[in-house]
Amino acid sequence: MPSVLLTKRIEFAAAHRYHKPNWDAARNRAVFGACHNEPGHGHNYLLEVTVAGEVDPRTGMVVNLFDVKHELQEVLEEFDHKHLNIDTPYFTDIIPTTENVARVLWRRLETRPQIGVLHTVRLYEDEDLYAEVTAAAGLEVANVTRRYEFTAVYEGRPALPDTSGTWSGHTWDLFVTVHGPIDRDTGMVTDIGVLDRLVHEQVIRPFDGRNLRQVLGSQPITGENLVCTIWDRLVKIISTGTLHRIRLVQTRDLAFEYGG
């Protein structure tokens, strides 16, 4: 029987601060910005744990969800409503970035056989930022995804050949995923501040509130060629890490993805 993936979500709250003791205040501030402010800041994290396995013919399940929930709750007792730098032993030598927290959680979860075979651990810092580590890629690398938004109008596909398309306006959700090694010093795959600046310069500022046909000077715009255009605008200028995926959500029922 083929392997099936099962994902369980669970929330917890924690605080953290980005700080390297062997760096002076100026360097910490330059690298980490406001995340270096004392005493730290908090998040309502959302953890998604995906396990892989075959469906047991007796139970019809990959793993017992009651067991998974119980194990996750026990693991998260160490982290929930804690200051990660101060109240846990895991971040004395590493920065509690989203990437590093996801990696630590993986290592805590893999000691719990009742959870099953780990496939992916995805940790949302908030609805606009998440990091994930996977069994396939290993724990030295991660994917980091940042969500953006812009509103624009465009001319869609014509209903019939040799006719004009229909003009539509949408608020697009743009998810930019960067893949790469987790830096030993910063704990980050990519500098989110730099990524924000690049995406705003190349996509948000020129597209938001505009007619995409005029901006791009092309034939009628489709979600397919728009997601490819955004990829082309970003792929060569990502400063650290590698552009891994662009996901463009037009409506709750329609999305486009491109990975080069």
Side-chain angles (χ1 to χ4, degrees), residues 99 129 144-146 148 188 190-197:
E99 297 95 314
L129 179 66
V144 175
T145 299
R146 183 73 153 163
Y148 304 91
M188 298 185 289
T190 193
D191 187 316
I192 295 298
V194 173
L195 180 64
D196 287 348
R197 177 176 58 80

Side-chain angles (χ1 to χ4, degrees), residues 16-42:
H16 63 170
R17 181 189 179 213
Y18 291 9
H19 172 72
K20 281 192 74 69
N22 58 330
W23 289 1
D24 61 26
R27 186 176 182 189
N28 271 290
R29 175 71 61 184
V31 174
F32 300 127
C35 290
H36 177 251
N37 290 347
E38 294 187 88
H41 60 279

